[in-house]
Amino acid sequence: MDLKGKVAIITGARRGMGRTHALALAKAGAKVVVADISLEDCQKVVKEIEKNKGEALAVKCDVAKKEEVEEMVKKAVEKFGKVDILVNNAGICQFKPFLDLTEEEWDRTLNINLKGYFLCAQAAAKEMVKQKSGVIINIASVAMGQVGVGIPNIVHYCASKGGVVGMTEALAVELAPYNIRVNAISPGMIETPMIDPIKKDPKVAEAMLDRVPMKRVGKPEEVSNLVLFLASDASSYMTGSTVVIDGGWLAG
């Protein structure tokens, strides 16, 4: 799973899984664009990468804004000459009952979690088409629907992640003639700031873990290992797939 000579963009890379994805791809030899809404936080991740002899670039980007997405890709090409890998990781999850959910809250979640993936994938794919090769990895969730598990109080998040899976499958077919592979990863409960609201209520946290056969929360690095596999030639015959990494949650 050697990524030497490859250029990767990771969105939502200032913390959580995005940060570990950036570190993992850099360790494998890729030149990494660390993108997120806080340039200062992105620069901290870049310093981590450079400390380990890697190459990286920090870019401020709100994935819901087309002009910022296009600027992100432009800076990647200006700095490193191309784009080989995109990890669509930026996302938000706000816990709120459906009946209390506002239109603005719905729009914000869909704009970042789904529209943002579309904008980033389109901008990156336009560069990948030029070289007739590339990999796009979309981070979805077990809360993607069609798996027999409904999760209350995050209907907008579930809708966005279901959309990500559908988009992944459609893009895989449409971009295959250009030798661009598109896959999705659906993590379960992973130790990131996103699950902090769950951890604050011991009863809710216990109930969630009871559904996981492995009886533990996953580590961001465990998801990053899968990102690395899908980004590399080790997965060269995979496209249009959604890979679940959830400690057995859905199987249970």
Side-chain angles (χ1 to χ4, degrees):
M1 294 191 284
D2 184 1
L3 297 180
K4 286 187 178 68
K6 302 293 185 181
V7 177
I9 296 175
I10 297 94
T11 66
R14 68 190 175 101
R15 64 178 186 174
M17 284 195 295
R19 172 183 163 274
T20 61
H21 299 341
L23 295 175
L25 268 59
K27 186 177 180 180
K31 298 173 183 178
V32 175
V33 177
V34 179
D36 211 317
I37 56 173
S38 168
L39 182 60
E40 183 180 356
D41 288 343
C42 290
Q43 289 169 336
K44 291 177 183 177
V45 179
V46 167
K47 287 181 180 178
E48 284 189 76
I49 291 171
E50 291 176 341
K51 185 178 179 181
N52 293 313
K53 311 301 182 185
E55 291 187 63
L57 171 69
V59 176
K60 181 184 181 300
C61 179
D62 179 344
V63 298
K65 297 179 179 178
K66 184 177 181 179
E67 63 276 11
E68 292 194 23
V69 169
E70 291 178 343
E71 184 66 16
M72 172 186 70
V73 173
K74 180 183 177 182
K75 286 180 178 178
V77 174
E78 287 175 348
K79 175 70 174 179
F80 297 124
K82 59 177 180 171
V83 176
D84 298 296
I85 301 159
L86 167 68
V87 183
N88 262 328
N89 172 80
I92 60 171
C93 182
Q94 173 194 21
F95 289 80
K96 193 164 186 181
F98 166 66
L99 294 178
D100 297 328
L101 193 66
T102 67
E103 181 180 1
E104 290 74 22
E105 289 165 336
W106 171 275
D107 286 345
R108 180 168 181 261
T109 297
L110 272 290
N111 281 342
I112 294 172
N113 293 8
L114 185 56
K115 176 186 173 183
Y117 279 32
F118 155 70
L119 292 174
C120 291
Q122 187 180 63
K126 286 180 179 179
E127 292 299 321
M128 295 173 179
V129 164
K130 297 175 184 177
Q131 64 207 28
K132 288 191 165 45
S133 68
V135 175
I136 296 172
I137 301 167
N138 295 322
I139 305 300
S141 169
V142 291
M144 59 186 164
Q146 303 299 309
V147 293
V149 176
I151 304 176
N153 299 322
I154 53 170
V155 63
H156 44 338
Y157 179 82
C158 295
S160 70
K161 293 304 182 179
V164 166
V165 172
M167 184 176 71
T168 297
E169 294 173 352
L171 288 181
V173 174
E174 196 162 342
L175 296 177
Y178 302 102
N179 194 32
I180 300 171
R181 298 188 295 109
V182 189
N183 292 293
I185 296 174
S186 287
M189 284 183 66
I190 307 298
E191 189 62 60
T192 69
M194 194 172 282
I195 68 166
D196 285 347
I198 295 174
K199 290 162 62 179
K200 286 179 181 177
D201 189 328
K203 289 184 179 180
V204 173
E206 183 180 358
M208 294 289 280
L209 278 179
D210 278 346
R211 301 176 67 169
V212 181
M214 292 185 73
K215 301 303 178 189
R216 70 174 177 86
V217 174
K219 300 174 184 177
E221 292 81 4
E222 292 174 306
V223 182
S224 297
N225 289 336
L226 183 52
V227 170
L228 179 57
F229 169 70
L230 292 175
S232 74
D233 289 341
S235 60
S236 57
Y237 197 53
M238 286 184 67
T239 196
S241 297
T242 297
V243 186
V244 174
I245 177 167
D246 67 349
W249 182 348
L250 297 186

